Amino acid sequence: MPLFDLAPEALETYLPQIDEPDDFDAFWSQTLGEARSVDLELRLEQVETGLALVHSYDVTFAGFGGHPIKAWLTRPADVTGPLPAVVQFLGYGGGRGLPVEHLAWANAGYVHLLMDTRGQGSRWGAGGHTGDPAGSGPAVPGYLTRGIGDPAEHYYRRVFTDAVRAVDAVRSLDDVDPTAVAVAGTSQGGGITLAVSGLVPGLRAVMPDVPFLCHYRRATEITGAMPYGEITQYLAVHRGEVERVFRTLSYLDGVSFARRADAPALFSVALMDTTCPPSTVYAAYNNYGARASDVVKDIEVYPFNQHEGGQAHQLTRQIGWLATLP
Amino acid sequence: MPLFDLAPEALETYLPQIDEPDDFDAFWSQTLGEARSVDLELRLEQVETGLALVHSYDVTFAGFGGHPIKAWLTRPADVTGPLPAVVQFLGYGGGRGLPVEHLAWANAGYVHLLMDTRGQGSRWGAGGHTGDPAGSGPAVPGYLTRGIGDPAEHYYRRVFTDAVRAVDAVRSLDDVDPTAVAVAGTSQGGGITLAVSGLVPGLRAVMPDVPFLCHYRRATEITGAMPYGEITQYLAVHRGEVERVFRTLSYLDGVSFARRADAPALFSVALMDTTCPPSTVYAAYNNYGARASDVVKDIEVYPFNQHEGGQAHQLTRQIGWLATLP
Amino acid sequence: MPLFDLAPEALETYLPQIDEPDDFDAFWSQTLGEARSVDLELRLEQVETGLALVHSYDVTFAGFGGHPIKAWLTRPADVTGPLPAVVQFLGYGGGRGLPVEHLAWANAGYVHLLMDTRGQGSRWGAGGHTGDPAGSGPAVPGYLTRGIGDPAEHYYRRVFTDAVRAVDAVRSLDDVDPTAVAVAGTSQGGGITLAVSGLVPGLRAVMPDVPFLCHYRRATEITGAMPYGEITQYLAVHRGEVERVFRTLSYLDGVSFARRADAPALFSVALMDTTCPPSTVYAAYNNYGARASDVVKDIEVYPFNQHEGGQAHQLTRQIGWLATLP
Amino acid sequence: MPLFDLAPEALETYLPQIDEPDDFDAFWSQTLGEARSVDLELRLEQVETGLALVHSYDVTFAGFGGHPIKAWLTRPADVTGPLPAVVQFLGYGGGRGLPVEHLAWANAGYVHLLMDTRGQGSRWGAGGHTGDPAGSGPAVPGYLTRGIGDPAEHYYRRVFTDAVRAVDAVRSLDDVDPTAVAVAGTSQGGGITLAVSGLVPGLRAVMPDVPFLCHYRRATEITGAMPYGEITQYLAVHRGEVERVFRTLSYLDGVSFARRADAPALFSVALMDTTCPPSTVYAAYNNYGARASDVVKDIEVYPFNQHEGGQAHQLTRQIGWLATLP
Amino acid sequence: MPLFDLAPEALETYLPQIDEPDDFDAFWSQTLGEARSVDLELRLEQVETGLALVHSYDVTFAGFGGHPIKAWLTRPADVTGPLPAVVQFLGYGGGRGLPVEHLAWANAGYVHLLMDTRGQGSRWGAGGHTGDPAGSGPAVPGYLTRGIGDPAEHYYRRVFTDAVRAVDAVRSLDDVDPTAVAVAGTSQGGGITLAVSGLVPGLRAVMPDVPFLCHYRRATEITGAMPYGEITQYLAVHRGEVERVFRTLSYLDGVSFARRADAPALFSVALMDTTCPPSTVYAAYNNYGARASDVVKDIEVYPFNQHEGGQAHQLTRQIGWLATLP
Amino acid sequence: MPLFDLAPEALETYLPQIDEPDDFDAFWSQTLGEARSVDLELRLEQVETGLALVHSYDVTFAGFGGHPIKAWLTRPADVTGPLPAVVQFLGYGGGRGLPVEHLAWANAGYVHLLMDTRGQGSRWGAGGHTGDPAGSGPAVPGYLTRGIGDPAEHYYRRVFTDAVRAVDAVRSLDDVDPTAVAVAGTSQGGGITLAVSGLVPGLRAVMPDVPFLCHYRRATEITGAMPYGEITQYLAVHRGEVERVFRTLSYLDGVSFARRADAPALFSVALMDTTCPPSTVYAAYNNYGARASDVVKDIEVYPFNQHEGGQAHQLTRQIGWLATLP
């Protein structure tokens, strides 16, 4: 795939002004308030993995609607805290898999929580274990158009709330330093990371890697690839719902969350990425921290990559960068 | 696509003995009992379509769990009943669309009810309007693995129940002859038709066209195409759940429903159909009416077709065949 | 597929000045004169379809060269005329199929004639029944380059003439109001509709849906998809014939026919349509009625659709719109 | 592509008994009689090619129906005859192109005639220049279903007759030894070669290379690839015409022509060829010369090739083999 | 992808007798003798990774021809040996990447050496760093046909020798228990694992995961997928070299190595794997340890997986299984 | 494929200023000096081809590093020299094949040398017979990234040197006029032709047909197709090597060679060519002869072709054009 989006120089200054609903903050304030009115019911069960250097725990906590959300928590075996932590979110369609897959952050000395994405975890990898008890109106197979008719019913309202509660859960642990919690994720995980960045104050760091879930309208105009293509497919069938669909999505846009963020951030973007086109990533990056002052942010550019982005290079970069933060 | 399944002669006598759970009938008896304990809440609102020869109604009735299910009812404009009726179910991913699309049965003199399939109606055509309020565990995008862990929670338990209630609804109409109700459908609609054939006594006729939802295990072994491929994809991720998955599906197999059917039936099958492979269709056809005696059945074979099957040829054949039934 | 053509705002004012041969009108005047010098030999044989509300007729009439052209005529069963009529043309590769497939216009109270496209009807659907007795020079499989060396021998000269004679045939029927004949069609059918719009005066309405056969040169430059790609493929082999090919096509361009039209028109266009790119459709729409004054025209825009366009939504729109015309 | 047809050992003895119509020989006898009742009107115009070693001629002769057929004749520049000759036929969709492309046979000392295939020559290469004045009934784009309803109207009746007349034309040349004319061709050219082998007595040699146009029924059952797939596509639309279609093709089957052949033959077959599956080639090879005695035949097997077969290896083999014939 | 190879039951007893060259053992004895006559020149440089729990080393050692081969060695940070070790080989086209990617075995308490594959490491992932100084004759892009004309020059002779030397290198480390070295790898890594299993005595365990490089002839006949397809592509061009090619490969066949192995083994196989078809894996598994007695072996079967096989499930299984070995 | 690169008018004046390393000329001067310090060891063995009009010779000569390079030399059988000559280079992945394939230039009266490309000749056609004894660092399968880390080790340094020595070899033949040697080639062969045009003075003519190996950076930005895509793939894995890679390629760029050329040139370009995009071809064409004065050059534009370009039309054009040169 060659370059297909704005020229690299134009991307660096691409600063679209996305429409936001007036009640954006009220919507999320109410949503999180309701979620936090339910007890976290945090449970950790240690699991036997054959790994001597780390301890792994099968975690359950109450997410949106009090629904049980699964996660793996992995931490250095013989270290006492309080420790810094990293909360990580997953790419589209995948699940938390098995503890042996996700060892880097614990090996780097962090308590690491990997949150399952509700209803997903069945398309690739070693599987997810969290259902989504909520149904939806007519929807394209996938997750982007579930509840597309109303932001209150949209799938990602639930997921973003789960993610906020995952941070709450980690912060509540005895051996975690609640002021030292970072969030990270790739693709969908990057989009969820952005949502958390705008919803949760006091994060140590925000690390969205080739993030999904940003600037939906442009995404549908510049790429036909899935999963943004689910929106296109939905609107190709439900021909009269264009305004309604984008209104719903305006409550869920990574660009709007990024504007509200104030923690240090390390993004990545791949210039040949047709899944999460670079202009949608830069839309979030260039708006990141717009409402704060002196926000530390940086973006790693992978000029010849598609959606795989930087992979282990970015992870190594994140480990190094995070260690430098005060 | 060339021939890829059993040879045509072998298909004619292919009679696999699918395992059935002992409580198959109990499961469905209880399911339908619960559904029928809720009032149908049948509502018909006439809609303006610009069509002079027929009247069209936007129908809502209570399906599984009392959930509102939408349908279009179309009937001859100036005829008084009681009329015979055809209840039709839709192919995978489609919705009831618009009344102008489905005129043949009303033109042939029948009251025609076209049932929306809950949660679908967003991948092709003019759209569906029925949500599915039930969520599910981790699932492959699509419908076949929603609730795959437990027959009580499986998506098609709800859909098949909706379909039974659609027949109940039509039979309750003043101008319909309740002894003269036929069911029909193509692909997924054919699979739903088979389910109804085994669950509802006293049907005038059963017309499954290249039916889906039959002999799941063989389907996954003979084809990789979607939507049967959703099962394969699920099991490729959830590697230890093979027995559990096929146990759940055993409550939902068109072959088992076909065994219990006793109404006259007209099937169709396409020999180059990789979506609904011919051996899975013959598995249902050859088992159709196995528990009854002297069941009238016939199958139209399309030797050079893929999943499109007979299309308008089969519809014309159905109109002619149905008119000959006593 | 994302947006790939001109920006939506630019499309609205896109008004290319296509070169027309000086003898365009003479060419067509002579062509139609010759065709009309042959008797229509119109034959209608009623067919048994099992449809009670409409009567269907197997129609044959003499098209270009006096060649027999097939059509289905469907009309309300128990209504006496004179009635308004709709003459419909088919998409590329399809045939008139079977009467049960095309009931909407008759149900809306019109006499409906569905013309077979000569030589086609073997790629999808229920089949066509009209041959094309004329051969051609070397050509790409398909129809667009048959007779490409000379407008007098081009395939679409014959088809457009057949279409004009189809209107003549319908107007000659006793129970049809000859002042109330509309023409319609999707894709290739839309291109034929445009040709008729410029060749036949006094039409009630013109309804080209995502029309094909417009602005050939731009089409080959903006899309590689079939069937416009047949021109590209031909010129990739016959490397020296560029001027000759586009000269031939200049006698057959929907844009030129549109300029000459004066009946009320309802177009449709899909902005993600790579088969009939939106700029080629707008080239015809924006030029439609350019030589007349005060032509009533409108275009329905489907922003997220590919070549499927509006489907039943557009049909419903047409039924409503046509009913409002004086 | 792996092996997909019969096992290699089974291919060697695969001898299907294809049904032949009783009037097969009468049909062809009458066809050729009619063709030969028209003067050949053979014209050769020398063309300037810049090639010093050979002379090239633009050839025209009267084929089926007296239609003008084009060919290139190439011969050694400074040799006087009588010379042996090779008549070659082309693959599907191609044209005779340009004289610089086809020099091997003339360089080997033969008069070489390369016949254009009527109506083709626009899909690849440097183009064809021969039209087909005959039209057809509804047909799949391509050539295999043109005139499929009646052997008298089928496209290949005309092509095979052209090919016979091409041999007649070469034999009529002063500097050609009429007893030393061989025929050759690849794919479609191989199928035409087989037709000539059964229709023209006294050939020096027959060299079908991965021939097409053999055992049509099996071809449609073992492969879905084009161009055999045109038959499948036709029958998928014209669902009731199976018997009629295969009856027409039974007059045009390479297997039946092969049975009637008696000249020495060198075939080739590729075991991974999904376009012309090996069992269809062996069906012709194993039947070749069945009605004669002591026919010299051999087949070159390319075990790892797809439809490209032996390419220059086979051509080199042919040049060597042909030189050894008495 | 459905099932496409032998039926599951037939696979369990599939025991093909692959031809072996008489000098197979002499060939490898000489090859390894030469390699071991060169000093290992083992160098370990600790690298900074930000990982607190493990130490990572950039390893170089002399492989075939004394060429420098790179690897990562990762071991628990604060544990003193002697420790057991796992030597791992990589899949086709990948490189050793970065230390953060491969932490499971060190976390499980092993010294872990991940060997780069010479010349690869540029198609996916985070890259390889080992060149292959040897050239080759004409070859298909890829590695399977480099040096295909002579086993002494074949690419995998070099790679398998590198792998043996990797084991030698690990065994030479002070803190490694040389009697407790296991080998493992997926796909190509599994094929290399098998080679080592037959070439190196005294291994603790052998863990080939969906191994490549087994039963080459059958592989080319049952699948067309890459990389086995490189052989097919080579033979499609070099048409006369079939015997020579398979003779060369007979020195490199995982089946022959497996026969000579005697360490406990845990295989995996995926029944829908078209890249490394199950019959080729079972050919190695069923022959594994054939020349020894009482070899402990087991195979994990993934019935619904393609080439991804068991992924983290298999890794978890390996960690558990290896811990149980005496 | 539609137009995808600069507009045709913009292409005509597209004159990018490619960065050249300061030591470009020194690099090549030293490279060729070293190559010419080794004896050519030219050997010609006549081969029996069955072709009477030409004589064919199996040629070997010492290329880069003294490595043996194969070629076919074909010349008129009965003509005595000195003759003009054409040295031709091959497209990517192909080999010299067999003498019967390449007869046009000898038939036109030239001594024709067709040089094998080292290491290639195994992907299509009748095969190559020249190995490449040099290995490389980690590389993408293919040739473009072999030795990508250092121009001195890059694959095309060797190939271009081979090509220069091929001209040296032809000029050394008794019956060749050394002042009348032209070079030609298509795609990769065109790129090699350009290299020779800038490295060898005194050529009669230069004929690059849709040349590859020009303006690498733009190529990776405007197309994702192979083989330029090998660069993209390499950089997607080796993420930090962008500058190093393009520095290496700057010694091998057809644009830089073209600037240094001064012989008459006939290019071709295809405007829908996504393999060798037209802007990369025009970059070389518009820079061709920039350092000389009054260079004769022309370019044949194929507006509707993809990478196949002009094929036999271009060859015919070349034969005619070359004959007109003084």
Side-chain angles (χ1 to χ4, degrees), chain A residues 217-229:
Chain A
R217 182 101 200 197
R218 172 153 182 95
T220 61
E221 291 174 357
I222 190 72
T223 186
M226 291 293 167
Y228 280 125

Side-chain angles (χ1 to χ4, degrees), chain E residues 79 152 181 248 313:
Chain E
V79 184
V181 177
T248 293
H313 286 275

Side-chain angles (χ1 to χ4, degrees), chain B residues 82-109:
Chain B
L83 293 173
V86 171
V87 179
Q88 185 181 344
F89 310 106
L90 288 160
Y92 199 74
R96 64 174 181 162
L98 294 173
V100 293
E101 297 179 87
H102 313 283
L103 300 172
W105 288 110
N107 274 248

Side-chain angles (χ1 to χ4, degrees), chain D residues 273-305:
Chain D
D273 183 351
T274 52
T275 305
C276 294
S279 59
T280 63
V281 175
Y282 270 104
Y285 178 69
N286 289 333
N287 274 299
Y288 188 87
R291 298 197 175 174
S293 57
D294 294 329
V295 170
V296 173
K297 65 179 178 182
D298 199 3
I299 185 164
E300 199 71 23
V301 182
Y302 294 98
F304 287 89
N305 285 89

Side-chain angles (χ1 to χ4, degrees), chain E residues 92-93 120 123 136-151 153-160 188 212-217 219-220 223 225-234 245-246 248-249 252-253 275-276, chain F residues 141 146:
Chain E
Y92 200 74
Q120 301 191 14
R123 287 186 76 175
S136 87
V140 173
Y143 306 93
L144 210 38
T145 65
R146 291 197 183 176
I148 193 72
D150 182 347
E153 296 182 8
H154 195 279
Y155 171 79
Y156 279 111
R157 182 185 179 222
R158 300 193 292 278
V159 171
F160 293 168
Q188 174 186 260
F212 178 45
L213 304 172
C214 294
H215 204 343
Y216 298 97
R217 183 101 200 198
T220 61
T223 187
M226 291 292 170
Y228 280 124
E230 294 175 13
I231 303 170
T232 305
Q233 194 174 48
Y234 185 88
V245 159
F246 286 111
T248 293
L249 293 172
L252 304 159
D253 197 314
T275 304
C276 295
Chain F
R146 291 195 184 178

Side-chain angles (χ1 to χ4, degrees), chain B residues 106-119:
Chain B
N107 274 248
Y110 296 85
V111 171
H112 175 241
L113 185 92
L114 181 70
M115 184 185 91
D116 233 7
T117 319
R118 56 167 66 208

